[in-house]
Amino acid sequence: MTASTHVPAKGSLILVTGASGYIASWITLYLLEQGFSVRGTTRTATKGQWMKGMYAARGFDGFEYTVVSDLENEDAFGDAARGVDAIIHTASPFHWNVTTPDDFIKPAVAGTLSALRAASAAQVRRVVITSSYASILENKEPLGEFTFTEDDWNQQSIDEVEAKGTGAWRMHWYRASKTLAERAAWKYVEDNTPPFDVVTICPPYVLGPLIHDVPSPDALNTSAANWYAYLSGQKSADDAIAPAGILCDVRDVARAHVRALLLPEAGGQRFGVATRTFTIQTLLDHVTGNDKLMAAFPDTVRGPPGKPVPPQNWFDCSHSLKVLGIELTHESKTAIDMTESLVEKQKGWSKPV
Ligand code: NAP
């Protein structure tokens, strides 16, 4: 089998799991723009219907949805995958409504394996999985002294969760879930010689505009909720200046998924997509001077502008970006476009129910 047989046929049907999500909604939009049809899984029909309407309003009628509510069901995606040519698996818990590490780990691992089993049964060509830099980076000090690449694995979070259980830092619960899910995917490929190849995408902290359904502020996805907390004055200026993180625009992350689906040579690889180190303050600097945005968010946290980003370890994705051919969005565009999209979302929130 040559590598190119793993690329889905032009215009074919692609399954996107977790299609009502922040990143998945952009992936779906780009697939539709490229002439593919998309079947998305959502947890409720209401979300599926909303997404269908949103794509139709943008001129695309190639989106259908199917409800898959339980990632831990062994055959969760069996029906959903029937007749598709490839799968992009994004569904995985990334929220803080959890009480044990297993609330992250079980659905993350089981959902990934369900997607792969369904891919085998449906004889798809390629599976692209949304992993995370959480499966790569470990906490290492002194900050700023270490560079990670796609060759690295985060064993630290797994060890912390194994040693301390619920006593481990909650971020390690999530990071362990992403590491274990991605490892399970590569092991599945090794053990089963499936008819498809796998590609994983490892984004860092993802920000940028929202096109998915957000009926209220508490329905915001985790990374957008953090930005909104600064726009709505719920966090302090001190929180905005440290610690530094690593940023990528949601549109670049989505483009990376689509490129990974379509590039023959992407099969079997992990790809990172990281723009730069940042603090929330560096992003606030791009919006606090914008009168229109500040009129919509008058309580925005206003810390000291121009404060340099403190040292942070780096995730070097230069190899991935070269292979995928992605040009990264400037952080000013990420901050402004995200805030503009929240201005629009907020108009819906203020309407009486
Ligand atoms: P999101 O909007 O919360 O998307 C997560 C998706 O997974 C949603 O569609 C959600 O369904 C679904 N999901 C979560 N738990 C589920 C469960 N137990 N059963 C069934 N479906 C479930 O967040 P996102 O940021 O787009 O995340 C998408 C993927 O990107 C995740 O794999 C996440 O780990 C990864 N990621 C995110 C970031 C980031 O900064 N945002 C960074 C790196 C990697 P509902 O819509 O019904 O909630």
Side-chain angles (χ1 to χ4, degrees):
M1 191 181 280
T2 61
S4 61
T5 60
H6 289 300
V7 172
K10 216 169 187 297
S12 59
L13 178 63
I14 313 294
L15 178 69
V16 176
T17 72
S20 50
Y22 174 48
I23 297 172
S25 55
W26 280 102
I27 295 172
T28 301
L29 178 63
Y30 292 148
L31 289 172
L32 294 171
E33 280 178 0
Q34 295 212 19
F36 289 97
S37 299
V38 176
R39 181 180 296 151
T41 72
T42 57
R43 283 202 267 192
T44 65
T46 318
K47 284 186 184 183
Q49 204 53 40
W50 192 95
M51 300 303 288
K52 197 170 163 59
M54 184 270 288
Y55 294 120
R58 288 171 180 255
F60 300 108
D61 59 7
F63 178 79
E64 61 185 54
Y65 67 89
T66 178
V67 174
V68 174
S69 49
D70 182 8
L71 288 180
E72 289 177 55
N73 174 348
E74 279 214 351
D75 193 28
F77 298 112
D79 286 341
R82 216 155 282 144
V84 307
D85 215 17
I87 299 179
I88 299 185
H89 176 59
T90 82
S92 202
F94 183 30
H95 55 75
W96 301 114
N97 186 18
V98 285
T99 48
T100 73
D102 273 349
D103 292 339
F104 281 123
I105 293 169
K106 280 191 169 173
V109 175
T112 301
L113 291 174
S114 299
L116 293 171
R117 273 192 297 270
S120 288
Q123 296 277 302
V124 310
R125 296 173 193 235
R126 177 162 286 175
V127 179
V128 179
I129 296 174
T130 314
S131 187
S132 170
Y133 75 153
S135 72
I136 292 177
L137 270 68
E138 296 186 337
N139 287 342
K140 278 194 176 178
E141 293 194 352
L143 287 174
E145 297 287 313
F146 298 91
T147 297
F148 295 84
T149 71
E150 296 85 349
D151 291 335
D152 294 307
W153 280 95
N154 170 16
Q155 180 60 37
Q156 183 184 52
S157 295
I158 297 170
D159 292 346
E160 282 286 314
V161 166
E162 273 175 12
K164 298 181 188 156
T166 51
W169 182 39
R170 272 204 313 173
M171 191 55 91
H172 279 313
W173 304 5
Y174 169 70
R175 291 180 183 176
S177 80
K178 296 306 287 182
T179 313
L180 290 166
E182 194 190 335
R183 276 202 182 148
W186 292 120
K187 183 163 181 343
Y188 181 95
V189 174
E190 227 175 270
D191 292 349
N192 294 281
T193 335
F196 52 84
D197 59 14
V198 163
V199 188
T200 62
I201 304 293
C202 301
Y205 203 80
V206 182
L207 292 173
L210 297 83
I211 56 169
H212 66 301
D213 185 21
V214 185
S216 61
D218 41 338
L220 281 164
N221 60 288
T222 298
S223 52
N226 189 38
W227 177 242
Y228 177 71
Y230 289 92
L231 294 181
S232 53
Q234 296 165 52
K235 289 220 173 176
S236 79
D238 284 347
D239 293 335
I241 55 173
I246 303 177
L247 177 72
C248 193
D249 189 284
V250 65
R251 293 161 291 193
D252 299 337
V253 174
R255 280 188 202 106
H257 282 76
V258 176
R259 292 288 293 154
L261 186 72
L262 302 180
L263 259 190
E265 61 270 32
Q269 297 198 52
R270 318 167 86 186
F271 293 108
V273 262
T275 310
R276 56 162 294 171
T277 59
F278 78 112
T279 61
I280 291 290
Q281 185 59 49
T282 59
L283 297 184
L284 287 170
D285 286 352
H286 297 295
V287 298
T288 46
N290 182 318
D291 293 344
K292 207 168 137 221
L293 295 178
M294 290 304 98
F297 293 110
D299 298 325
T300 296
V301 168
R302 287 165 192 267
K307 209 146 162 70
V309 179
Q312 173 59 277
N313 294 331
W314 180 232
F315 180 23
D316 179 3
C317 307
S318 45
H319 167 74
S320 297
L321 297 172
K322 204 165 146 203
V323 174
L324 296 176
I326 307 265
E327 293 227 355
L328 297 172
T329 304
H330 193 274
E331 65 163 26
S332 60
K333 186 165 169 56
T334 303
I336 291 168
D337 292 355
M338 180 164 199
T339 310
E340 281 176 349
S341 76
L342 286 167
V343 172
E344 290 310 307
K345 295 288 179 201
Q346 186 175 246
K347 287 178 187 163
W349 301 339
S350 49
K351 275 188 205 142
V353 183

